[in-house]
């Protein structure tokens, strides 16, 4: 039997830090409100001369290096992003070219904050059915470009960055399960217009409190779904790597499966919400800090615009 194994992780965050104190000077907010309601202290902002593809390229190179895989041996590239600098070509094609990856399929996925879980699901199917052997996944966002910097309810949340993994076909797991979901009837609770139709500027619009309630319910259900599908109990999970949207949502999800917070990878305080990039960024942080080790069982989950949500249960 063939499994998809994660054999290398990488990430990159832009240098510029925007603190809660900085935001106090920009909108009517306080460090205490942001910290209490979200758990965020600071976020990163892409430089004037940087593009989302630049963040993606650095994260991808770091993941390739960590995996010991040569760029020419990659035979599928998938990028998750909602904030590419180009409408086309895809970020995946840009990354394929810049890294010197040869002729292979390359395409982007947009599932908002759930992008990385969708990528894992798709890559898993390519590897399991023999269509790909070495897959590069990159998730990259420049959300600061679509944030309304006058809207205190959203501008305190979002951040820029990129995360990446390399997967390879192996006889041992690997990805044990993925579960991906979507319900477009919620699309008006969280969206960003393109700015190309009507008068709507290309800014994130969110009914935060409504999103919060659905996120807690769906994420609670999806982590339970993952455990049940694999006949696992919570003690079998070494680490939960959640989407870093809100510390209160993360705590509610961990509580739902009675997982102590000591086994949750948390990056939200210093990284904010980087949408699709948030799970691979947290994963790479956990690996590089020596927390996630070979042999560990890791449960990843995410929730985002669409709504989309999902989980991936992976052995390292
Ligand atoms: N500073 C101070 N006060 C604020 C701020 C701020 N930055 N933002 C909002 N408030 C005020 C509101 O105006 C409101 O005031 P009012 O009571 O006088 O009307 C009050 O705080 C409470 O507002 P709520 O929106 O009810 O606050 P809530 O506790 O829900 O926290 C938050 C807001 C942090 C946005 C939360 O709802 C949340 O995290 N939602 C989910 C976000 C999420 O998971 N998104 C999905 C992924 S993102 C993606 O897919 C791109």
């Amino acid at each position: 039997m063939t499994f998809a194994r994660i054999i290398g992780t990488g990430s990159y965050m832009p240098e510029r830090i925007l603190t809660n104190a900085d935001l106090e000077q920009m909108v009517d907010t306080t460090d205490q409100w942001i910290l209490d309601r979200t758990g965020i202290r600071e976020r990163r902002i892409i430089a004037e001369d940087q593009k989302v593809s630049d963040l993606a390229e650095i994260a991808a190179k770091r993941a390739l290096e960590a995996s010991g895989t040569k760029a020419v041996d990659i035979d599928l590239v998938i990028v998750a992003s909602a904030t590419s600098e180009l409408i086309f070509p895809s970020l995946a094609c840009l990354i394929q070219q810049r890294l010197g990856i040869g002729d292979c399929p390359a395409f982007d996925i947009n599932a908002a904050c759930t992008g990385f879980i969708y990528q894992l699901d798709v890559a898993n199917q390519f590897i399991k059915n023999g269509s790909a052997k070495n897959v590069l996944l990159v998730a990259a966002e420049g959300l600061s470009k679509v944030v309304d910097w006058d809207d205190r309810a959203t501008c305190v949340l979002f951040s820029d960055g990129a995360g990446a993994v390399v997967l390879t076909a192996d006889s041992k797991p690997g990805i044990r399960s993925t579960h991906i979901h979507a319900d477009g009837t919620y699309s008006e609770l969280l969206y960003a217009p393109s700015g190309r139709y009507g008068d709507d500027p290309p800014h994130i619009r969110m009914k935060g409190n409504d999103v919060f309630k659905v996120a807690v319910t769906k994420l609670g259900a999806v982590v339970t779904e993952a455990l049940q599908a694999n006949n696992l109990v919570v003690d079998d999970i070494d680490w939960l790597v959640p989407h870093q949207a809100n510390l209160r949502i993360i705590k509610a999800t961990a509580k739902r499966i009675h997982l102590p917070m000591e086994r949750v990878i948390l990056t939200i305080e210093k990284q904010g919400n980087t949408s699709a990039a948030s799970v691979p960024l947290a994963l790479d942080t956990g690996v590089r800090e020596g927390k996630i080790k070979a042999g560990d069982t890791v449960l990843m989950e995410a929730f985002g615009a669409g709504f989309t949500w999902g989980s991936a249960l992976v052995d390292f």
Side-chain angles (χ1 to χ4, degrees), residues 52-54 57 79 84-86 88-100 106 108:
V52 173
S53 59
D54 299 322
E57 182 181 345
V79 177
S84 175
E85 68 265 25
L86 295 175
F88 52 77
S90 66
L91 280 169
C93 287
L94 300 187
I95 294 304
Q96 182 205 39
Q97 180 269 325
R98 288 199 208 168
L99 268 57
D108 288 0

Side-chain angles (χ1 to χ4, degrees), residues 29 33 37-38 113 152-153 190 208-209 245-246 248-249 273 304-305:
T29 192
W33 191 96
R37 297 290 178 116
T38 72
C113 298
R152 67 176 181 170
L190 173 56
N209 202 264
N246 185 312
R248 289 184 294 146
I249 297 177
N273 180 352

Side-chain angles (χ1 to χ4, degrees), residues 142-166:
L143 291 160
S144 62
K145 301 285 185 189
V146 290
V147 158
D148 178 352
W149 290 104
D150 293 326
D151 177 14
R152 67 176 181 170
T154 53
C155 74
V156 301
L157 304 173
F158 296 103
S159 180
D160 301 334
V165 301
V166 175

Side-chain angles (χ1 to χ4, degrees), residues 29-73:
T29 192
T30 62
D31 173 44
Q32 201 59 49
W33 191 96
I34 302 171
L35 207 51
D36 289 350
R37 297 290 178 116
T38 72
I40 301 170
R41 282 183 198 276
E42 58 188 51
R43 69 274 310 132
R44 297 295 177 111
I45 307 294
I46 195 166
E48 284 297 320
D49 60 354
Q50 269 178 328
K51 302 274 187 340
V52 173
S53 59
D54 299 322
L55 313 188
E57 182 181 345
I58 299 170
K61 283 181 174 160
R62 289 178 178 171
L64 275 180
E65 194 185 338
S67 74
T69 309
K70 292 197 195 84
V72 291
D73 292 329

Side-chain angles (χ1 to χ4, degrees), residues 31-254:
D31 173 44
Q32 201 59 49
W33 191 96
I34 302 171
L35 207 51
D36 289 350
R37 297 290 178 116
T38 72
I40 301 170
R41 282 183 198 276
E42 58 188 51
R43 69 274 310 132
R44 297 295 177 111
I45 307 294
I46 195 166
E48 284 297 320
D49 60 354
Q50 269 178 328
K51 302 274 187 340
V52 173
S53 59
D54 299 322
L55 313 188
E57 182 181 345
I58 299 170
K61 283 181 174 160
R62 289 178 178 171
L64 275 180
E65 194 185 338
S67 74
T69 309
K70 292 197 195 84
V72 291
D73 292 329
I74 295 292
D75 54 9
L76 172 65
V77 183
I78 312 175
V79 177
S81 182
T83 50
S84 175
E85 68 265 25
L86 295 175
I87 296 168
F88 52 77
S90 66
L91 280 169
C93 287
L94 300 187
I95 294 304
Q96 182 205 39
Q97 180 269 325
R98 288 199 208 168
L99 268 57
I101 297 167
D103 177 2
C104 73
F107 59 89
D108 288 0
I109 282 180
N110 178 355
C113 298
T114 318
F116 184 64
I117 305 294
Y118 270 65
Q119 283 177 301
L120 287 173
D121 182 278
V122 174
N124 191 32
Q125 298 191 44
F126 269 82
I127 288 177
K128 273 179 146 352
N129 72 22
S131 303
K133 190 170 183 307
N134 297 310
V135 181
L136 174 64
L137 303 183
V138 196
E141 302 282 11
L143 291 160
S144 62
K145 301 285 185 189
V146 290
V147 158
D148 178 352
W149 290 104
D150 293 326
D151 177 14
R152 67 176 181 170
T154 53
C155 74
V156 301
L157 304 173
F158 296 103
S159 180
D160 301 334
V165 301
V166 175
L167 292 144
T168 197
D170 203 327
S171 55
K172 57 176 184 169
I175 295 178
R176 288 215 228 174
S177 71
T178 53
H179 291 88
I180 54 173
H181 300 271
D183 186 346
T185 58
Y186 290 109
S187 59
E188 287 178 10
L189 294 184
L190 173 56
Y191 65 96
S194 67
R196 293 191 289 272
Y197 297 89
D199 299 328
D200 267 359
H203 288 151
I204 296 171
R205 298 289 176 227
M206 179 170 77
K207 294 200 169 72
N209 202 264
D210 295 331
V211 177
F212 187 96
K213 287 179 200 150
V214 185
V216 168
T217 308
K218 299 294 188 195
L219 287 171
V222 90
V223 290
T224 307
E225 180 183 41
L227 290 180
Q228 284 177 353
N230 291 282
N231 277 322
L232 295 181
V233 294
V234 72
D235 282 348
D236 298 318
I237 303 298
D238 294 294
W239 294 101
L240 176 70
V241 181
H243 173 43
Q244 312 281 320
N246 185 312
L247 184 58
R248 289 184 294 146
I249 297 177
I250 295 172
K251 283 184 172 167
T253 308

